[in-house]
Structures are given as structure tokens and as C-alpha cells.
């Protein structure tokens, strides 16, 4: 028996009501889900803001703590490039340069000056030079290896193309200086190179600082330039980290960090002092010789920029004789202090790389004593 029109109508109405009830439930569920998404998004935003504030507060706290740890004075050393000729093979020449670089890093030397005492008149490390053999451009080769070792490992391919002078540099011990950082190291400062990547005008530049992401700095600089960056934000969710370009001396003067050394070439001994990069010049110059006064009984005066000069195979006397600008024969008249840093030596000679370690070790104690006395006054 077929259903009547009234029953069919009733079934259709019941079905419509059920569908209407289901639609309301689905709509309510969607509304609830959307509300949860909004709440989750708001929580993530709040966490992001709080994390940024905490990072900013941490950096400010670190900066305040490090302001009292800054080092305002500098230590420079000068030596003739001819010390490289005391090595008998290209490998030993390279290793000798590595020993000097290690000594400078261990004792926080800020500047290395390599002067010529053989009339080579080298003022730059650019170009191709015959520096690998027993004899050649010793000043240039020494300067190039020192610069290579000082450069952070992630920047060496950019600044140091393949060169004969660096043939054996891979065998040298790393300096492991504070600015030679690993990819995941967190620090206030980093060294980097400006990348040749397009950026909007006035929006700064991108810098490769040896991290997993580039660092966006506040200034638009020429690509290929090495810069010191103060890290401002290392948010893992952002496309690039943020930083501010600072002067290379800021890690030293504010944080007390040894931020590598600069390398300068001088045509002669007198040019070491006359071409000083500091406006006020070196206010304390020290010459080292076995003919100098006993350093054990000597205290250092107050200074801002100290220069310690080492002689070559024939001592500072040979450097004075080879300098066309000097009319003196006694090297001691050129310096504020003329010291023997290893009195009673058991060997007839002390090699320059050994003299650097001995002298800087002794002077480090005297510098610490001087700073302690200044703090008490």
C-alpha cells in the first residue's frame, strides 16, 4: 500500500528539520574551531613579543655588564719580515708565521707591524709575489699568512683566493680567537662580509656572518666589505637575523674582547712609528735587546698605545743601519724603554718568535700590575 500525501509530506518535513539541526551544529563547531585558532595565534604572538623583550633585556644586561670590562689600551708589536729567511723550507716558513700569529693571539696583540730591513720596499700584499722559496718577498708572505690566520674561517674563501704563499697554511694550528665563531655560537658581536644581494633602497644590506641565516644590517654598504656586526635579534622564525654595524674596536673597548689583530707593512724601522694609525701616536715604545736594561726590575709608565719592537737575525742594530731615515747607530735612543726581557739567557741567540713569547709574557704581568695600581688610585 502506497503512502499517502500527508505521510510523504511529514517525512520531508522531518528530514528538513534534521538537516537544519545538523547544519547548526556544524556551524557552531566551525565557529568554535575558529575561536581556538584565533586564541592560539594570539598566544603565539604574545610569546614572540615576550621572547623579543627578554632577548632585548638580556642584551642590555650583557652590555651593561661588559661596559666595565672594556679594554681601552692597545698593544702593538713590530718585527722585520726577514725573520722568515731563518726557515729552511716553504713549510717551515709557513709554520714560523703560524707561531708568530699564535703568540699575538695568546697575548691579545692588537696590531702587528712588519718592517723591511732589506730594501724590498713592500707596502701592500696585493698582487703576485715570489714568496714561497728560500728567498723572496718575506715581508709580504709573513703579512699574508698573518692576515689569513686572523680572518674568521667562514670568510677566508671570500678574502683569500688561492695563492702560493698560503700553500701550506692549512697545516697551521688555528688561532681560535673569540671572533672565530662556530655556526651556532651565540654572541653579541660577529665578523661578516657584505653580500652582493639586492635590497630595497634605504633598507640596509645583508651580511654573511657565518650563521645559518644572513644578518640584515642598518646601513647600505658596498658588497665585499668586511664589517663588525652587533647582533640585535636572532629570532629563529624570522627570514634573516638583525644587526648593527659597529667600529672594529667596539668589542675591545666595550666588551674587553680580543678581536683579532690588524697587519701593517712598513718600508723601514722609522716608518713603523711615523705611520702609526693612532692620532696621538704610540705613547710608549719599547725596544728589545740583550743589550737593554734588565726588564725584571722595570715598571711600565701609564700608556694608551704601546709598541714593542723586535729585531731580526742581527738584532735591532741591523734594522737601524738599513734605515735611510735614521742617522743614529744606537737603537736605544729611538725608544722610551730599551729592555732585555730574558737576562741570563742560556743560548747565544734567542729567535724572534721566541723573543715575542718571552717578552709579551713578561710585559703582560707588568701591564696587569699597572692597571691594578691605576684602579686603586
Amino acid at each position: 500500500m502506497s503512502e499517502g500525501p500527508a505521510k510523504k509530506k511529514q517525512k520531508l518535513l522531518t528530514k528538513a528539520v534534521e538537516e537544519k539541526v545538523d547544519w547548526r551544529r556544524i556551524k557552531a563547531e566551525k565557529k568554535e574551531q575558529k575561536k581556538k585558532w584565533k586564541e592560539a595565534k594570539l598566544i603565539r604572538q604574545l610569546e614572540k613579543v615576550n621572547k623579543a623583550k627578554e632577548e632585548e633585556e638580556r642584551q642590555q644586561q650583557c652590555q651593561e655588564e661588559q661596559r666595565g670590562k672594556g679594554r681601552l689600551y692597545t698593544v702593538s708589536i713590530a718585527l722585520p719580515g726577514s725573520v722568515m729567511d731563518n726557515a729552511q723550507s716553504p713549510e717551515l716558513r709557513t709554520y714560523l708565521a703560524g707561531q708568530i700569529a699564535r703568540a699575538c693571539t695568546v697575548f691579545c696583540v692588537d696590531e702587528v707591524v712588519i718592517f723591511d730591513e732589506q730594501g724590498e720596499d713592500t707596502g701592500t700584499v696585493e698582487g703576485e709575489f715570489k714568496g714561497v722559496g728560500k728567498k723572496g718577498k718575506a715581508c709580504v708572505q709573513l703579512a699574508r699568512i698573518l692576515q689569513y690566520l686572523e680572518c674568521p674561517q667562514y670568510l677566508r674563501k671570500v678574502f683569500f683566493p688561492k695563492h702560493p704563499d698560503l700553500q701550506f697554511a692549512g697545516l697551521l694550528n688555528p688561532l681560535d680567537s673569540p671572533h672565530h665563531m662556530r655556526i651556532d655560537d651565540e654572541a653579541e658581536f660577529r665578523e661578516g662580509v657584505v653580500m652582493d644581494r639586492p635590497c630595497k633602497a634605504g633598507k640596509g644590506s645583508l651580511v654573511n656572518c657565518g650563521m645559518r641565516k644572513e644578518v640584515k644590517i642598518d646601513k647600505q654598504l658596498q658588497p665585499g666589505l668586511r664589517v663588525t656586526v652587533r647582533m640585535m635579534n636572532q629570532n629563529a622564525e624570522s627570514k634573516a637575523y638583525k644587526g648593527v654595524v659597529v667600529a672594529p674596536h667596539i668589542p675591545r673597548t666595550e666588551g674587553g674582547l680580543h678581536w683579532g689583530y690588524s697587519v701593517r707593512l712598513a718600508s723601514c724601522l722609522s716608518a713603523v712609528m711615523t705611520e702609526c694609525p693612532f692620532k696621538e701616536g704610540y705613547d710608549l715604545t719599547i725596544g728589545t735587546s740583550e743589550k737593554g736594561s734588565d726588564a725584571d726590575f722595570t715598571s711600565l709608565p701609564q700608556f694608551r698605545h704601546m709598541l714593542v719592537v723586535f729585531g731580526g737575525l742581527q738584532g735591532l742594530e741591523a734594522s737601524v743601519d738599513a734605515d735611510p731615515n735614521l742617522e743614529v747607530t744606537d737603537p736605544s735612543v729611538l725608544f722610551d724603554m730599551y729592555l732585555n726581557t730574558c737576562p741570563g739567557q742560556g743560548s747565544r741567540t734567542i729567535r724572534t718568535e721566541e723573543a715575542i713569547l718571552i717578552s709579551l709574557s713578561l710585559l703582560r704581568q707588568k701591564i696587569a700590575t699597572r692597571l691594578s695600581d691605576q684602579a686603586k688610585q
Side-chain angles (χ1 to χ4, degrees):
M1 179 182 259
S2 60
E3 296 180 349
K7 285 188 176 181
K8 286 183 179 180
K9 189 175 180 181
Q10 184 65 31
K11 283 185 177 181
L12 289 173
L13 288 172
T14 304
K15 188 177 180 181
V17 169
E18 289 177 353
E19 289 179 354
K20 189 174 182 181
V21 171
D22 290 340
W23 171 249
R24 285 178 179 175
R25 180 176 56 81
I26 292 170
K27 189 175 181 181
E29 289 177 354
K30 285 186 177 181
K31 188 175 181 181
E32 185 67 23
Q33 188 66 33
K34 191 175 181 181
K35 184 179 179 182
K36 289 181 180 179
W37 285 343
K38 286 183 178 180
E39 290 177 353
K41 185 178 179 181
L42 183 61
I43 290 172
R44 286 197 301 269
Q45 289 177 344
L46 289 173
E47 288 178 351
K48 188 175 180 180
V49 171
N50 291 333
K51 189 175 180 181
K53 286 183 179 178
E54 288 176 2
E55 180 66 20
E56 187 178 353
E57 290 175 359
R58 187 184 67 81
Q59 289 183 355
Q60 288 179 354
Q61 185 177 358
C62 290
Q63 291 176 17
E64 290 176 359
E65 290 177 355
Q66 290 181 347
R67 277 171 190 166
K69 301 178 183 178
R71 177 167 64 88
L72 301 180
Y73 68 89
T74 65
V75 176
S76 303
I77 70 167
L79 70 155
S82 61
V83 299
M84 296 283 279
D85 294 333
N86 201 27
Q88 290 76 30
S89 69
E91 294 90 339
L92 290 176
R93 288 168 71 94
T94 304
Y95 189 75
L96 174 61
Q99 286 181 297
I100 295 172
R102 284 284 303 170
C104 293
T105 302
V106 169
F107 291 102
C108 301
V109 171
D110 303 293
E111 181 193 27
V112 183
V113 189
I114 303 167
F115 62 90
D116 177 31
E117 62 175 8
Q118 297 178 337
E120 292 180 350
D121 192 23
T122 54
T124 178
V125 295
E126 298 296 329
E128 296 291 331
F129 298 98
K130 298 176 181 178
V132 177
K134 176 66 174 68
K135 294 183 180 180
K137 300 284 187 178
C139 294
V140 172
Q141 185 184 18
L142 177 56
R144 197 189 309 275
I145 296 173
L146 290 179
Q147 288 179 330
Y148 174 84
L149 289 175
E150 185 278 335
C151 183
Q153 62 277 15
Y154 54 85
L155 298 179
R156 288 174 180 170
K157 288 185 178 180
V158 178
F159 295 108
F160 294 92
K162 190 175 180 180
H163 193 280
D165 285 348
L166 302 174
Q167 181 179 357
F168 301 103
L171 302 175
L172 297 178
N173 297 319
L175 300 187
D176 205 18
S177 187
H179 65 303
H180 289 196
M181 295 179 186
R182 282 68 172 175
I183 190 170
D184 292 319
D185 287 351
E186 291 187 6
E188 183 180 359
F189 301 100
R190 269 188 175 265
E191 288 292 291
V193 58
V194 180
M195 302 177 67
D196 190 9
R197 293 267 299 275
C199 286
K200 294 181 180 179
K203 296 294 183 180
S205 304
L206 291 175
V207 177
N208 174 18
C209 289
M211 307 175 75
R212 299 188 185 277
K213 300 178 183 179
E214 291 82 13
V215 180
K216 192 171 184 181
I217 58 174
D218 56 328
K219 295 181 181 179
Q220 197 158 6
L221 300 176
Q222 181 181 353
L225 187 67
R226 178 175 168 176
V227 292
T228 303
V229 179
R230 188 198 297 271
M231 303 300 298
M232 302 302 293
N233 183 10
Q234 299 186 37
N235 187 0
E237 298 179 1
S238 59
K239 293 183 179 179
Y241 298 135
K242 291 184 180 180
V244 178
V245 174
V246 297
H249 65 81
I250 293 297
R252 170 180 60 84
T253 56
E254 289 190 5
L257 299 171
H258 172 60
W259 210 246
Y261 52 77
S262 61
V263 180
R264 176 165 64 92
L265 286 168
S267 59
C268 55
L269 177 59
S270 59
V272 173
M273 303 174 191
T274 57
E275 297 174 1
C276 174
F278 307 110
K279 292 182 180 180
E280 57 271 30
Y282 301 111
D283 51 1
L284 176 59
T285 56
I286 299 175
T288 59
S289 172
E290 61 178 3
K291 299 178 183 178
S293 58
D294 192 339
D296 292 338
F297 303 100
T298 306
S299 59
L300 297 181
Q302 189 174 355
F303 69 91
R304 182 71 181 269
H305 303 292
M306 179 175 70
L307 171 69
V308 186
V309 183
F310 299 91
L313 303 178
Q314 305 299 323
L316 284 173
E317 289 79 7
S319 302
V320 171
D321 293 340
D323 194 326
N325 302 320
L326 298 177
E327 298 179 355
V328 299
T329 56
D330 183 9
S332 62
V333 301
L334 302 175
F335 306 101
D336 300 321
M337 305 178 76
Y338 199 56
L339 302 178
N340 180 3
T341 56
C342 188
Q345 63 194 58
S347 174
R348 293 188 183 91
T349 58
I350 295 180
R351 298 168 66 94
T352 304
E353 64 271 23
E354 297 169 341
I356 294 173
L357 284 169
I358 295 169
S359 301
L360 294 179
S361 178
L362 183 142
L363 292 173
R364 184 194 66 81
Q365 299 175 353
K366 296 185 179 297
I367 292 172
T369 302
R370 179 63 188 172
L371 293 176
S372 178
D373 293 341
Q374 286 180 214
K376 292 177 181 178
Q377 292 176 357

